[in-house]
């Protein structure tokens, strides 16, 4: 569902008047809903290692250097060179003083730290993307900003998660008449998302929408 449609769904749930065009979203509550939808979207996407976030990329590491700019916009799941998996090391200093470290890698600021090879290598990376939105050209980005943007949370989970989650944040009051309904519908959609997209029971998380309630 597109960003503009999600906003109008929220307006209906909150008993506000729908708008006919994206450029009519100028009131304070309109702007708040727009922002909250992105917050809820990011909270859901970053809470767990959802399989819909997985992406693949290749970075070329020149010979005789152990540092290259980290162009991955996300969290690295696996990294391999020559079909061998490399493990992440938090001790980035070892790469600064010992260039021969084997089968490990590290990250310092925006640099990927690797062992030094005497030939050029292709670093194959599987990662969880930080781009939680796609535009009308299916290009990925971090936030919804225009009417036709969409979350990367799969349908049919996206609409109830984002709409009911945003409404809970907007009101953030357990005593609000529709709050329990929104919470129930949100949790139902979340349970379905977990059962469909997580592969083991040990992965099942509980996502709490952050807010003043």
């Amino acid at each position: 569902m597109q960003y503009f449609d999600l906003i109008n769904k929220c307006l209906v749930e909150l008993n506000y008047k729908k708008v006919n065009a994206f450029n009519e979203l100028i009131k304070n509550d309109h702007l708040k809903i727009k922002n909250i939808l992105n917050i809820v979207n990011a909270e859901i996407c970053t809470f767990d290692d959802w399989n819909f976030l997985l992406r693949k990329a290749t970075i070329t590491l020149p010979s005789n250097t152990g540092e290259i700019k980290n162009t991955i916009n996300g969290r690295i799941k696996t990294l391999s060179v020559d079909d061998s998996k490399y493990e992440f090391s938090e001790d980035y200093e070892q790469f600064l003083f010992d260039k021969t470290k084997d089968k490990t890698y590290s990250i310092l600021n925006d640099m990927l730290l690797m062992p030094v090879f005497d030939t050029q290598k292709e670093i194959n990376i599987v990662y969880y993307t930080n781009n939680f939105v796609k535009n009308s050209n299916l290009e990925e980005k971090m936030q919804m900003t225009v009417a036709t943007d969409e979350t990367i949370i799969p349908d049919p989970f996206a609409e109830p998660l984002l709409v009911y989650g945003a409404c809970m944040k907007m009101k953030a009051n357990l005593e609000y008449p529709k709050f329990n309904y929104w919470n129930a519908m949100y949790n139902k959609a979340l349970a379905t998302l977990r059962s469909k997209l997580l592969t083991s029971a040990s992965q099942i998380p509980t996502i709490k929408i952050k807010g003043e309630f």
Side-chain angles (χ1 to χ4, degrees):
M1 178 171 284
Q2 295 182 344
Y3 190 28
F4 181 60
D5 297 322
L6 288 171
I7 295 168
N8 264 331
K9 288 277 187 179
C10 289
L11 290 173
V12 170
E13 282 294 325
L14 293 164
N15 294 319
Y16 297 156
K17 184 178 179 181
K18 292 174 62 175
V19 297
N20 296 315
F22 193 73
N23 60 12
E24 294 178 13
L25 296 167
I26 57 175
K27 296 181 179 180
N28 286 337
D29 281 342
H30 294 161
L31 301 179
K32 188 174 182 181
I33 290 171
K34 290 170 69 175
N35 183 53
I36 287 176
L37 279 168
N38 276 303
I39 291 173
V40 173
N41 188 49
E43 285 181 354
I44 295 169
C45 288
T46 57
F47 189 84
D48 213 296
D49 296 334
W50 305 105
N51 58 13
F52 60 81
L53 298 176
L54 286 173
R55 302 290 183 270
K56 293 174 66 177
T58 300
I59 298 177
T60 300
L61 178 69
S63 61
N64 301 312
T65 180
E67 297 183 11
I68 190 170
K69 186 174 180 61
N70 180 16
T71 57
I72 300 300
N73 183 21
R75 295 174 292 111
I76 295 176
K77 175 177 171 62
T78 59
L79 182 150
S80 63
V81 178
D82 294 337
D83 296 324
S84 293
K85 182 178 178 181
Y86 282 58
E87 299 295 334
F88 175 73
S89 171
E90 294 184 355
D91 184 12
Y92 64 85
E93 289 186 346
Q94 67 179 328
F95 293 88
L96 302 179
F97 303 111
D98 181 0
K99 302 295 186 179
T100 62
K101 302 303 292 184
D102 190 30
K103 298 295 179 68
T104 57
Y105 73 95
S106 192
I107 295 174
L108 176 62
N109 294 329
D110 62 346
M111 299 301 294
L112 188 62
L113 307 181
M114 297 286 300
V116 176
F117 301 97
D118 57 9
T119 59
Q120 177 177 292
K121 296 292 183 179
E122 298 299 311
I123 305 173
N124 298 303
I125 298 173
V126 176
Y127 65 100
Y128 295 99
T129 183
N130 285 337
N131 290 323
F132 306 136
V133 173
K134 58 188 176 183
N135 64 20
S136 58
N137 295 320
L138 302 182
E139 298 167 334
E140 294 185 350
K141 53 194 285 192
M142 294 189 71
Q143 291 191 326
M144 295 178 283
T145 57
V146 300
T148 54
D149 285 343
E150 297 183 35
T151 176
I152 65 170
I153 299 173
D155 290 330
F157 317 108
E159 180 185 339
L161 285 171
L162 296 182
V163 172
Y164 297 127
C167 288
M168 284 193 290
K169 270 189 176 294
M170 277 289 291
K171 293 306 178 182
N173 183 352
L174 292 171
E175 302 302 319
Y176 189 80
K178 296 186 71 174
F179 185 90
N180 288 334
Y181 168 75
W182 293 333
N183 186 54
M185 296 302 292
Y186 171 86
N187 285 323
K188 180 180 179 180
L190 180 59
T192 305
L193 177 68
R194 292 187 307 213
S195 66
K196 299 293 185 181
L197 299 184
L198 293 180
T199 57
S200 70
S202 63
Q203 290 179 277
I204 297 178
T206 298
I207 302 177
K208 178 178 175 62
I209 290 293
K210 297 176 183 177
E212 302 301 323
F213 54 85

